[in-house]
Amino acid sequence: MIHVLVVYGKRIIPIIVPTVSHRIGEIMPLRLAILLVVAPLFLLAGYLAASALVAQRARHLLAEYAAQTAKEESAISDMIHELQRERGYSVGYVSSDGRVFPDALIRQRGQTDAVVASALSRITLMADDHSLAFDRVVHGVERLAELRQHVDGFGFDRPVMVSDVAGPYTELISTIMALTRQSVGLDSSTEYQALRQARFLIGEAKEKAGLERATGAAVIETGNSSALREHFAALGGAQIILLTEAAVVKGSGSWLPSLQRTDQYLTLSDLRDTIRSAKAASGQAALNSERWVAASTEWIDFLRREERNVTAEIISLANQLEAESTTELVGLIWLTIFAGIAGTLFVVLTLK
């Protein structure tokens, strides 16, 4: 209240004037007024915290998905590699009339079965996201036993051509790679996606190298087929194109030249020239399918190591993103809980 003295004529009259705060106090308790002013701020803070929590939860789920997908793609790479090895042994076995790789082929089949069974059991996300492509992979694997019987029975019921062996294996491998392509997509805007693209391209180059191994063995064993020789030459060129693209995606201009200076590449390059030469066509070259397969296998294994290196980078990055998102999510949850408790205490104390 404010006391005011008013002069009225010769008399001084005191007047009491109520203040604004006094009027508010009469109309509404002060604590309730504070609560009405502050409560909307707490509600806004709660809404923002909840929104941030939902967004961080989504990022965490995405990081978990990326980590799991990286592991599943690694399992698929293992499966493809073993099938490529089996294809190479099978082609060498058939093209040499059973003289080459009989024992190695048996061992490889056991290794293939173990890796394929393990890989298929670990693929869950991709099986759900790309069910049709995954079903085609499973169907192709189920026909593997029939293909092996075909290889084992060559020359008894009817002659088996090299293409009869390589073709079905290649079809199965292509089906598996189609599943990988659907999962990887075409996005390379982030480091994680760029690494996935690079690994896929290296895997495709390795597939061309596997076909080159089988085709080269067929050229050596079967002689002077111009169509087969042209196909052999094209496969070598396709590998360089794919590896060049992988280097671009990786952002490393020195990566491919360093590959081409390795002993594996230089040895293979010399043997390629020999196979393409007229001496190889006439059977005069000191080259047999065992030597070619051994050298081309070393090159394929080298590409496999490069593929695994990129896979390790992908898994490491995915795990790092998952760990960071987990830390951020837990921190945000605790912050939200603390803010909720603080707001509740404020309201309770204000209303007392």
Side-chain angles (χ1 to χ4, degrees):
M1 295 182 186
I2 300 177
H3 295 268
V4 179
L5 299 178
V6 178
V7 179
Y8 181 73
K10 295 182 178 181
R11 297 183 350 182
I12 299 176
I13 303 174
I15 299 176
I16 299 175
V17 180
T19 62
V20 174
S21 62
H22 176 69
R23 295 298 298 166
I24 293 177
E26 291 179 352
I27 298 173
M28 181 185 302
L30 180 60
R31 291 180 179 178
L32 182 58
I34 294 174
L35 181 62
L36 291 177
V37 171
V38 177
L41 298 178
F42 276 108
L43 291 175
L44 178 60
Y47 171 78
L48 294 176
S51 299
L53 192 60
V54 170
Q56 184 58 43
R57 174 60 178 167
R59 287 193 290 270
H60 177 69
L61 290 175
L62 185 60
E64 283 185 335
Y65 183 90
Q68 179 61 26
T69 301
K71 294 173 184 176
E72 291 186 13
E73 290 175 355
S74 176
I76 289 177
S77 296
D78 293 340
M79 182 165 54
I80 290 174
H81 183 68
E82 298 305 326
L83 286 168
Q84 288 170 334
R85 287 175 61 87
E86 183 173 328
R87 178 183 57 191
Y89 284 131
S90 298
V91 169
Y93 178 73
V94 170
S95 62
S96 66
D97 293 332
R99 298 189 309 273
V100 179
F101 308 130
D103 296 332
L105 179 56
I106 294 174
R107 289 193 300 270
Q108 181 57 49
R109 286 176 176 177
Q111 178 70 13
T112 300
D113 289 340
V115 171
V116 167
S118 175
L120 292 179
S121 67
R122 287 184 285 164
I123 299 174
T124 56
L125 293 179
M126 294 172 65
D128 292 336
D129 294 343
H130 311 286
S131 57
L132 292 178
F134 182 75
D135 289 343
R136 285 193 288 269
V137 170
V138 173
H139 179 67
V141 169
E142 290 173 348
R143 298 183 60 185
L144 191 56
E146 178 183 342
L147 174 57
R148 289 170 175 174
Q149 290 177 357
H150 191 55
V151 171
D152 293 340
F154 84 95
F156 293 97
D157 52 353
R158 68 179 182 85
V160 176
M161 303 297 293
V162 171
S163 59
D164 294 335
V165 176
Y169 275 107
T170 301
E171 182 179 355
L172 174 56
I173 292 170
S174 298
T175 300
I176 300 173
M177 295 187 74
L179 173 62
T180 305
R181 168 51 76 191
Q182 286 191 24
S183 175
V184 172
L186 299 174
D187 179 26
S188 59
S189 58
T190 65
E191 181 183 3
Y192 171 73
Q193 287 297 116
L195 286 172
R196 293 178 73 197
Q197 288 283 350
R199 180 179 61 183
F200 180 79
L201 291 167
I202 295 172
E204 281 198 324
K206 188 164 68 70
E207 168 61 4
K208 300 297 183 184
L211 290 173
E212 182 186 42
R213 175 175 59 187
T215 306
V219 170
I220 294 170
E221 293 293 337
T222 60
N224 195 8
S225 169
S226 58
L228 199 61
R229 202 170 297 279
E230 289 175 4
H231 182 54
F232 172 77
L235 289 168
Q239 291 174 59
I240 298 301
I241 293 173
L242 290 166
L243 293 174
T244 300
E245 188 176 352
V248 172
V249 173
K250 281 169 60 69
S252 175
S254 60
W255 178 70
L256 180 56
S258 67
L259 260 63
Q260 293 174 314
R261 290 192 296 268
T262 61
D263 292 338
Q264 292 89 341
Y265 183 85
L266 293 174
T267 300
L268 189 72
S269 181
D270 290 340
L271 294 179
R272 283 171 176 165
D273 293 339
T274 301
I275 292 175
R276 289 194 296 260
S277 68
K279 290 179 66 176
S282 61
Q284 298 174 10
L287 177 63
N288 53 38
S289 58
E290 291 96 328
R291 183 184 173 195
W292 162 252
V293 169
S296 57
T297 298
E298 288 186 8
W299 169 240
I300 291 170
D301 289 342
F302 180 83
L303 291 178
R304 174 61 172 163
R305 288 193 292 273
E306 292 297 313
E307 185 182 39
R308 281 180 168 170
N309 290 338
V310 177
T311 296
E313 291 184 60
I314 294 172
I315 293 177
S316 175
L317 180 59
N319 289 337
Q320 178 184 344
L321 293 174
E322 184 181 17
E324 290 176 354
S325 68
T326 299
T327 301
E328 293 172 0
L329 179 61
V330 171
L332 189 56
I333 289 174
W334 280 112
L335 180 61
T336 304
I337 293 173
F338 175 79
I341 293 174
T344 302
L345 289 176
F346 177 82
V347 171
V348 171
L349 294 176
T350 301
L351 293 177
K352 276 188 176 182

